Amino acid sequence: MLARQVEAARRFNRFYTQRIGVLEEGLLDSPFSLTEVRVMYELAHRRGIGAAELARQLGLDKGYLSRILKRFRAKSWLARSVARDDARRHLLALTAAGQRAFAPLERRSRQQVRTMLSPLAPSRRQRVLDAMRAIERDLDGRDPAPIVLRGHRPGDIGWVVQRHGELYAREYEWNEEFEALVADIAAKFIRDLDPDRERCWIAEREGVRLGCIFLVAQDKTTAKLRLLLVEPEARGSGLGKRLIEECIAFARAAGYRRIVLWTQSNLDAARHLYTKAGFRKTAEENHRSFGKDLVAETWTLKL
């Protein structure tokens, strides 16, 4: 198993280094090596950094780094100053001439990544970026940042519709009729929103949306829980339970007496969460929707 995983990782490394041009003699059509460009990047984006810290951060041999810095000094690209808190410590930064030399490399790097990502559909682009973020986090040994819940902002409603359509098509083979239903629900929410009695929660981590849930009014005493979604990468984290609990707490504070929801009998994970939260199935009905024969269920929670 591990041997196959090692080979898969090596295959990805070969693919990606070729894709970003690391194997070319000069990186980004420049006379500089990858290491030299990385050193320039750190010097350009840090207000001051010591040589030892720079070597440690980039995993470079101190002698190798010293030779690179010597070449930069010969071109008048490197400035050296004394640290304010320690006169024995010297900080490095690019001079104005060094910044001018680095600027076209920065532009080419941005354009290279833009060229790589722009042909992808938004959902595929986000999947690539999520995978990159996961690789960075897991190989660095960092714990994932906390998931935060917030209210909706421009762009969120389009995401809600798109991700419902994509995920339910992939996981349950539901057709575009379901996406149309979600679009209708989401549009009505925005159009008729009563912020004192209705709300949307968006879950995100480091700016990446991971889930959502809506609570809307059915009548003066009954609220409806709608459009619960948890992205695959966030499943198992307790996010679904947290979103439902947030809905329930808001409904109680708003003065509702009950919450109802409409789901399908094959949505086992969601039904499990509803049961844990205290909802009980109160009705069911056979129907054909979204290209499938389904059993619709109504669930109710008394508050």
Side-chain angles (χ1 to χ4, degrees):
M1 172 71 77
L2 180 58
R4 289 197 299 273
Q5 292 171 337
V6 167
E7 289 309 310
R10 293 181 65 204
R11 183 172 61 250
F12 174 79
N13 287 343
R14 292 192 298 272
F15 163 78
Y16 196 64
T17 51
Q18 186 275 333
R19 177 59 66 94
I20 63 174
V22 172
L23 302 180
E24 297 172 4
E25 187 172 345
L27 188 68
L28 300 169
D29 296 322
S30 76
F32 307 111
S33 68
L34 171 63
T35 305
E36 288 172 323
V37 174
R38 281 292 284 114
V39 171
M40 292 176 76
Y41 179 90
E42 293 301 324
L43 294 174
H45 290 272
R46 301 284 288 269
R47 297 194 175 187
I49 185 171
E53 182 185 356
L54 183 58
R56 184 170 58 253
Q57 183 169 313
L58 296 179
L60 294 178
D61 173 77
K62 291 182 180 179
Y64 181 31
L65 175 61
S66 178
R67 291 191 292 275
I68 292 175
L69 296 176
K70 184 178 180 180
R71 289 196 291 274
F72 289 178
R73 277 195 300 270
K75 294 176 179 291
S76 299
W77 291 351
L78 191 65
R80 203 164 169 239
S81 61
V82 176
R84 291 182 180 179
D85 59 343
D86 186 352
R88 299 166 299 176
R89 184 165 171 257
H90 291 85
L91 302 179
L92 306 173
L94 289 183
T95 63
Q99 293 281 2
R100 287 194 297 272
F102 177 69
L105 300 176
E106 182 91 309
R107 287 195 298 270
R108 288 175 208 157
S109 178
R110 291 181 186 277
Q111 184 57 48
Q112 181 190 60
V113 176
R114 187 177 291 110
T115 300
M116 181 173 62
L117 294 178
S118 59
L120 301 177
S123 60
R124 297 185 67 187
R125 188 184 311 150
Q126 189 60 56
R127 191 160 62 242
V128 168
L129 295 174
D130 291 345
M132 288 177 170
R133 189 177 290 108
I135 290 171
E136 180 184 1
R137 182 184 66 239
D138 292 346
L139 292 185
D140 196 39
R142 290 184 284 122
D143 291 330
I147 299 174
V148 299
L149 303 185
R150 59 167 177 80
H152 65 283
R153 298 195 292 245
D156 288 330
I157 300 302
W159 173 83
V160 167
V161 175
Q162 177 184 341
R163 292 306 288 154
H164 272 82
E166 290 172 341
L167 285 177
Y168 280 81
R170 186 170 77 203
E171 297 178 0
Y172 301 102
E173 297 182 341
W174 290 5
N175 65 20
E176 64 276 8
E177 294 171 12
F178 178 66
E179 188 172 358
L181 173 64
V182 174
D184 286 342
I185 294 170
K188 186 177 187 304
F189 171 80
I190 294 296
R191 189 169 53 245
D192 303 332
L193 176 61
D194 178 353
D196 292 329
R197 307 186 74 236
E198 300 176 308
R199 187 160 296 182
C200 161
W201 291 265
I202 300 293
E204 70 175 23
R205 177 165 54 207
E206 297 181 328
V208 177
R209 300 180 187 97
L210 294 175
C212 64
I213 198 168
F214 289 63
L215 188 83
V216 300
Q218 178 168 287
D219 54 43
K220 290 184 178 180
T221 60
T222 305
K224 293 187 74 173
L225 186 157
R226 313 208 77 169
L227 304 182
L228 170 64
L229 180 140
V230 176
E231 289 282 1
E233 68 180 272
R235 293 172 187 172
S237 67
L239 177 57
K241 176 176 180 287
R242 187 176 162 197
L243 286 166
I244 293 171
E245 288 174 346
E246 199 75 19
C247 257
I248 294 172
F250 178 82
R252 284 198 173 105
Y256 290 108
R257 295 180 186 174
R258 68 186 65 82
I259 303 174
V260 298
L261 63 88
W262 186 73
T263 189
Q264 308 301 319
S265 62
N266 62 323
L267 304 183
D268 295 329
R271 294 168 76 254
H272 176 73
L273 290 173
Y274 300 144
T275 300
K276 288 286 188 180
F279 285 84
R280 295 294 177 263
K281 184 173 67 173
T282 53
E284 64 179 28
E285 179 184 10
N286 295 328
H287 67 115
R288 182 166 181 85
S289 301
F290 323 134
K292 297 289 181 180
D293 291 321
L294 300 170
V295 179
E297 298 178 343
T298 300
W299 292 57
T300 303
L301 173 69
K302 293 182 180 180
L303 300 176

